[in-house]
Amino acid sequence: MRFKLSKLARQLPLPLTIGLLASSLPAMAQENNNSSNKKEQAGLEVISVTAQKRVENVQEVPITISAVSADSIRDNDISNVTEISAFIPNVEMDATSPFAGSSSVLSAFIRGIGQNDFAFNLEPGVGLYVDGVYYARTIGAVVDTLNLERIEVLKGPQGTLFGRNTIGGAISITTSAPDEDFNFQTETTLGSFNRQDIRVSADVPLSDNLFSQFSFSSKRRDGYQKRIHFAGAEQFINDVGKFNTVENQASYGNQSGAENGTNARLKLLYRASSDIDITWTSDMSHTNESAAPSSLIAVNSEGSLASLYNTCIGLDVATLEQIGLGVACGVRGVVGTSFAGANADDNPNNNRLPIDDRYITGDPDTTYATGSNFSILDAWGTALTVDWSLVDSIDFKSITSFRKLEASFGVDNSGAPLILVDTSFYTEQKQYSQELQLTGKAFGDKLDWVTGLYYFSEEGMLLDTPIFAAGLVQVYGPNFLENKAVAAFAHLNYAVTEEFGLTFGLRYTEENKQFEGQQQELNGFGIKVGFPSFLYPDQTDLTRVFPLGVNKLDFNDTSVHMGAQYKLSGNIMTYYSYSEGFKSGGWTTRLTLPEPGNVVPTFEPEAATSHELGIKSRFWDNRAQINAAMFHTDYENIQVTVSRGLSPFFENAAAGVIKGLEFEGQFLVTDDLFVNLALGYIDAAYTELNEGTAIEKTDLFVNTPKNSATLGLRYNIPLTSGAEWVILADWAYRSEIANNSENVAGTNQPAASTANASLKYLSDDGKWDVTLRGDNLTDKRLIVSGFENADVGTTQVVYSAPRQWSLTLGYHF
């Protein structure tokens, strides 16, 4: 494949092409404008990042990076990592995934590559790192922005320095370090839906060489979707609470979309000598809230299970026996009751509601749901980081970490007063990782190098307990997994001249995976409708649908990064990079019937190779910054979640090509007016489709809008007293976004824009401030997740929150 810049430019929108050729934008760092103190400099601040495992000016790193500072996070009321995507082109992040119900699932996509499923057997496509520690699961990865120094978003495959499962890019979060001086700050926020947030952070020096920091946050907010009564439902049987689910309680209240969580972090920094720093970190997160709000938008009562259910309750028992449905409509698994002929006999006490579209409210803020409604997460971790300057030109770093999480979550996806599509899950996971790095300089400081070793292991389980069509299908699916990976890497930057430099990186990875699936279908529905019993894997237990035994897979990969950069002047750099990445393979675990031949369905690793051409520039006496990049990615063995029967099935579906452009600019128009602009364009298309896949070549990639734009401003109004007013406003646009691989009708989010604004008062001594903020000012309701269960006949979506206001009081000393 040859990267043809001129051909790509002809395919891009004219305004963006002109912007690129004129000296355009991404890699941009969201600048720190010192929101809590008045500006003392006329010029954009320099942002330092660690994308290449060493501290560098973001403008001198020859890859696309967007960095969001702590002050920008605070100014824009960004409460978790997903919310930064509104400010960065070609990056989309949600805090939930289809049919999950949890608001703690990081569904992250960068330049069209990512993952929007939470299952333990599936790997993220965008790697998340906190202080250098990899978070292996998408569940529990919606990191709170508690006391951060910055968030770096690295775009494109990061296979050499960050490793596997960073095929789309990486999100690197750096928390604040303990300060040598005493500091204390607190924020209290009140707002819509009874919002009550508290944040506290304190730096406390314990001795001349031991420093501590404690941070805590609590977030509380009522849900914005109400569970309302379906008139007359009390006259019908609904079986709510009778099925095997992961929680005894079917529902946590009559609202969905609430927030209820706490986060805490303790850090100790020990300066053992002038050459050795040792940092110990411990953190915890606890969430206990209602599920993400699910809205029913379509029902096809001709679907197999919906039609069968309606037939079961509508015909008398004798007729059902005559047409061969007596067994299918009879006693259901663990429930132990039959609904055959329920509405056809003379007993009104066993009547049941039918499955049809009467449960569609048409209002994203109301639902007739009565089933599961909970999202619980407990996660904690600890890490020990040693920074040791061995000699003047060589530094050593060790990062040792352990993490553990436990989560249960469930949601009634049908929006009906009966159990139609109720999905609930329980997962637990623990991981250990060790990274060793050596960094240094050589050849008269012309060569910057980093090399290292990495080890990772994890184990855990995921229990699936979905219920379909009043118990016609009752899944009980415990899955047990173990993963291990080792890697060695090296990365070199060599300055051939003062203007021209070369980059080369290499990483070799080996991983071993182990999996045992014990999934059952407790109602034995397949046998009841004629699926041959001898095809089941365990003849002593005909509810078992997954093959017996432990399964193993081994993968290895060598990823390469190459690049060159040239400084046109002291503040303008152009660069080219070639990078490779891969996302691990695995097993599909969600079965409701045995697979032919009792094989264990597997999927292969994804692979991506990307070419990027970019420019980074500063001008106007350091008051303007424009960065831009063009990219072209070949994407192979694309892993997708598709609806195959009742089950969301994971498979390699296609190959594709992704190409596009990014532009990010920052302008200090006056000493008091700062403006930032970001534009993104992606042309993502399938070039090959595997036989049998449900995807069409014309389908949009998941979470990949073709066009995106962001415009923001900050205006300072100094007062004679020394105090200051600050006005902040931002506007974001996204073209149509697909929320699932099959682009199911009604689940795509049409093109839309949103706007937010705030007014802040800063005291003259900089010790306190008050902020009034409005989010989603136009009250635009966006579809952030959507899924169709074709064999049940339902389609459901999750809508974003409505317009909200908040008032924050901050105090610092």
Side-chain angles (χ1 to χ4, degrees), residues 230-248:
F230 184 80
E234 64 278 0
Q235 303 173 27
F236 297 87
I237 301 296
N238 62 16
D239 292 330
V240 171
K242 295 182 180 179
F243 296 102
N244 226 11
T245 60
V246 301
E247 288 287 322
N248 293 328

Side-chain angles (χ1 to χ4, degrees), residues 125-449:
V126 173
L128 176 73
Y129 297 80
V130 179
D131 291 332
V133 175
Y134 174 58
Y135 281 43
R137 301 293 106 220
T138 57
I139 182 74
V142 182
V143 176
D144 188 86
T145 55
L146 176 64
N147 200 17
L148 303 185
E149 181 179 314
R150 66 182 179 277
I151 302 175
E152 302 170 28
V153 178
L154 289 67
K155 299 180 182 179
Q158 303 295 322
T160 56
L161 283 174
F162 288 88
R164 67 193 186 106
N165 307 329
T166 56
I167 187 171
I171 302 168
S172 180
I173 297 174
T174 302
T175 64
S176 177
D179 198 271
E180 295 183 5
D181 298 318
F182 177 80
N183 290 292
F184 177 83
Q185 56 184 351
T186 181
E187 289 181 0
T188 301
T189 300
L190 303 176
S192 301
F193 303 103
N194 196 30
R195 177 179 173 182
Q196 302 173 46
D197 295 356
I198 298 174
R199 288 175 177 263
V200 178
S201 179
D203 294 284
V204 182
L206 302 177
S207 70
D208 290 341
N209 60 350
L210 180 61
F211 312 98
S212 70
Q213 181 187 84
F214 175 74
S215 305
F216 172 83
S217 73
S218 171
K219 295 189 288 188
R220 302 285 186 273
R221 193 198 65 202
D222 294 341
Y224 54 88
Q225 185 190 66
K226 308 298 181 185
R227 289 190 163 198
I228 60 176
H229 176 67
F230 184 80
E234 64 278 0
Q235 303 173 27
F236 297 87
I237 301 296
N238 62 16
D239 292 330
V240 171
K242 295 182 180 179
F243 296 102
N244 226 11
T245 60
V246 301
E247 288 287 322
N248 293 328
Q249 289 180 268
S251 173
Y252 279 13
N254 62 355
Q255 301 175 352
S256 295
E259 277 191 309
N260 183 17
T262 56
N263 295 271
R265 183 189 309 117
L266 174 64
K267 296 185 81 170
L268 295 175
L269 170 60
Y270 176 58
R271 295 238 159 90
S273 70
S274 59
D275 298 323
I276 302 176
D277 280 356
I278 301 174
T279 304
W280 176 76
T281 304
S282 182
D283 66 272
M284 62 76 64
S285 298
H286 172 70
T287 298
N288 190 341
E289 59 195 21
S290 59
S294 179
S295 295
L296 184 68
I297 62 168
V299 175
N300 177 13
S301 56
E302 299 304 315
S304 58
L305 282 186
S307 177
L308 174 60
Y309 169 84
N310 288 341
T311 301
C312 286
I313 66 173
L315 296 179
D316 61 83
V317 175
T319 303
L320 291 171
E321 293 287 350
Q322 289 177 3
I323 62 177
L325 292 179
V327 175
C329 298
V331 176
R332 291 159 295 136
V334 297
V335 179
T337 61
S338 168
F339 48 50
N343 293 359
D345 57 23
D346 296 326
N347 180 11
N349 295 317
N350 66 351
N351 285 352
R352 294 177 178 272
L353 287 164
I355 297 175
D356 55 30
D357 59 6
R358 71 185 68 189
Y359 314 119
I360 300 173
T361 68
D363 179 0
D365 295 328
T366 60
T367 177
Y368 296 122
T370 53
S372 295
N373 181 30
F374 57 91
S375 178
I376 307 168
L377 172 75
D378 285 289
W380 71 273
T382 186
L384 184 70
T385 301
V386 178
D387 291 285
W388 186 1
S389 180
L390 300 177
V391 295
D392 288 343
S393 59
I394 299 178
D395 296 321
F396 168 79
K397 173 176 279 191
S398 169
I399 305 173
T400 307
S401 76
F402 175 81
R403 299 201 62 80
K404 185 177 182 179
L405 71 84
E406 183 178 359
S408 58
F409 43 98
V411 61
D412 184 339
N413 280 298
S414 63
L418 70 154
I419 300 301
L420 182 51
V421 181
D422 190 284
T423 56
S424 60
F425 309 90
Y426 170 81
T427 188
E428 58 184 37
Q429 180 253 10
K430 58 183 179 181
Q431 66 173 66
Y432 168 82
S433 64
Q434 174 66 62
E435 182 165 356
L436 302 175
Q437 302 172 15
L438 281 176
T439 59
K441 295 178 178 292
F443 304 116
D445 290 346
K446 287 189 173 184
L447 177 66
D448 288 310
W449 57 269

